[in-house]
Amino acid sequence: MKKWMAPAALLLAAALAGGYYLYLREAEAARQGTLYGNVDIREVALAFRVSGRLASVQVDEGDSVQPGQILARLDVEPLKNSLNAALANEAALAARNALMRKGNRSEDIAQARARLEAAQAAVIQSESEYRRQRDLVPAGGSSRQLLEAARLQRDQSLAQRDAAAQQLKALVAGFRPEEIAESDAQLKQARASVASARLALKDASLQSPSAGIILARAVEAGSMVQAGTPAFTLSLRQPVWVRAYVGEAQLGKFAAGTEVRVSSDSRPDKTYRGVVGFVSPTAEFTPKSVETPDLRTALVYRIRVVVGDADAALSQGMPVTVRLAQ
């Protein structure tokens, strides 16, 4: 066992020395205004806002897309039927609302007035017959039964006249404000249903929100998709961010708004312009409660650099070098 302990100790010492060397190199680079980080391009999970059967898929993984480009479409027939039903309901309620606001037709009012006049004539006739029967009964010219029938006929005529008068009054006055308000609310609700149906029909086409590259595709034509279920993963071309870390002693050099230059190992001669857009207010690792000044300088803080002139050469996760602009 002692034979392999010596080589192991040498390897361990070499590893520690190498790690210390890398630490010193990173510290020196930081002092010179150089940081190391990775490209952090944002991704978006795209999903339909409505459910349905997928009619077609227009793109595949690796395809470049532009803002507003159609990625996939749902079967729109059920959505069209819903829209037509909402439009028909809106038309019916709109016609009813217009009628209530305009009031009753003059022809209806004229008919109600004619019915009232006829009822009034019937009252006059029944009143005359009742009086005649009342005068005949004492002389024996009529019976009590006929007098009672005449009285009932008169009372019935009076009731019909009053009903005709109330009907005419209602037609002339039109609908009550509460009825009109109820009709307005129903029409507003119908219009909202139409707007919702139109939006659902529009959402049957899934569009790209911005330029990017399709990283993943999770749907196939003919399958049923649920609203909110991710169908594509899109890698955005803009903005391109770089995530890097800076020691506490160098925070002043990389404050928000500082201009920097970004380069990659694949194209060291190509530099990109960037601006520090965010500096984390806390250390990436929680420090101990008591620290010496040497330990405090070992803390690192995350910064985000926004690359203004990024191109397709900056890929997701690519290691890059960040230097202060000269």
Side-chain angles (χ1 to χ4, degrees):
M1 294 180 62
K2 293 182 179 181
K3 293 181 179 180
W4 60 264
M5 289 180 63
L10 292 175
L11 290 176
L12 179 60
L16 292 175
Y20 182 69
Y21 171 76
L22 291 176
Y23 170 79
L24 293 178
R25 191 183 68 172
E26 296 293 331
E28 180 63 23
R31 284 193 291 270
Q32 296 176 358
T34 302
L35 300 177
Y36 301 96
N38 298 87
V39 178
D40 189 14
I41 302 176
R42 290 189 300 171
E43 297 179 2
V44 179
L46 303 180
F48 286 96
R49 237 176 0 185
V50 294
S51 302
R53 184 179 63 84
L54 196 61
S56 62
V57 179
Q58 311 295 329
V59 295
D60 206 343
E61 295 178 356
D63 291 347
S64 298
V65 296
Q66 301 300 321
Q69 181 176 340
I70 302 297
L71 306 181
R73 285 189 174 92
L74 297 177
D75 182 10
V76 298
E77 288 304 318
L79 301 175
K80 286 183 177 180
N81 294 336
S82 298
L83 176 59
N84 292 334
L87 289 171
N89 185 51
E90 180 193 18
L93 291 176
R96 176 64 177 171
N97 183 262
L99 173 62
M100 296 181 73
R101 288 188 168 277
K102 187 176 181 180
N104 296 290
R105 297 181 301 175
S106 58
E107 294 84 357
D108 296 335
I109 296 175
Q111 291 179 3
R113 185 173 286 110
R115 286 193 294 269
L116 176 58
E117 293 173 354
Q120 289 173 342
V123 167
I124 295 174
Q125 181 179 359
S126 61
E127 181 68 28
S128 175
E129 178 63 21
Y130 171 72
R131 291 177 180 177
R132 188 178 71 82
Q133 291 292 336
R134 186 184 58 183
D135 294 340
L136 291 175
V137 168
S142 182
S143 63
R144 290 286 181 180
Q145 184 178 4
L146 292 177
L147 176 61
E148 183 63 20
R151 187 184 67 80
L152 292 175
Q153 182 64 37
R154 182 202 63 179
D155 293 344
Q156 183 179 4
S157 300
L158 289 172
Q160 291 176 348
R161 182 199 63 184
D162 293 342
Q166 292 296 328
Q167 184 180 16
L168 176 61
K169 182 180 179 180
L171 289 174
V172 172
F175 295 92
R176 291 179 297 176
E178 295 81 2
E179 293 176 324
I180 296 178
E182 181 184 14
S183 177
D184 291 343
Q186 291 174 346
L187 180 58
K188 185 177 180 180
Q189 183 180 10
R191 288 172 176 169
S193 298
V194 170
S196 179
R198 291 187 187 277
L199 181 60
L201 185 60
K202 180 181 178 181
D203 288 339
S205 296
L206 182 59
Q207 300 180 0
S208 174
S210 60
I213 299 176
I214 300 296
L215 295 183
R217 164 184 163 181
V219 293
E220 296 293 339
S223 60
M224 296 296 297
V225 296
Q226 300 297 322
T229 301
F232 300 94
T233 300
L234 177 67
S235 174
L236 302 181
R237 291 180 178 173
Q238 295 293 338
V240 175
W241 296 340
V242 170
R243 182 177 67 254
Y245 297 89
V246 60
E248 183 178 3
Q250 307 300 319
L251 281 177
K253 293 182 178 181
F254 293 91
T258 302
E259 295 186 0
V260 296
R261 295 293 181 264
V262 178
S263 61
S264 64
D265 294 340
S266 61
R267 299 176 63 186
D269 57 331
K270 170 65 177 179
T271 59
Y272 303 90
R273 296 189 304 272
V275 176
V276 177
F278 168 78
V279 179
S280 175
T282 58
E284 195 70 18
F285 301 99
T286 305
K288 298 179 181 179
S289 58
V290 179
E291 296 174 343
T292 65
D294 292 338
L295 289 176
R296 287 198 297 268
T297 58
L299 296 176
V300 291
Y301 293 79
R302 178 169 52 91
I303 68 171
R304 183 173 66 197
V305 176
V306 181
V307 182
D309 56 348
D311 54 24
L314 291 179
S315 303
Q316 178 82 22
M318 175 183 289
V320 293
T321 302
V322 180
R323 296 183 176 88
L324 290 173
Q326 301 298 329

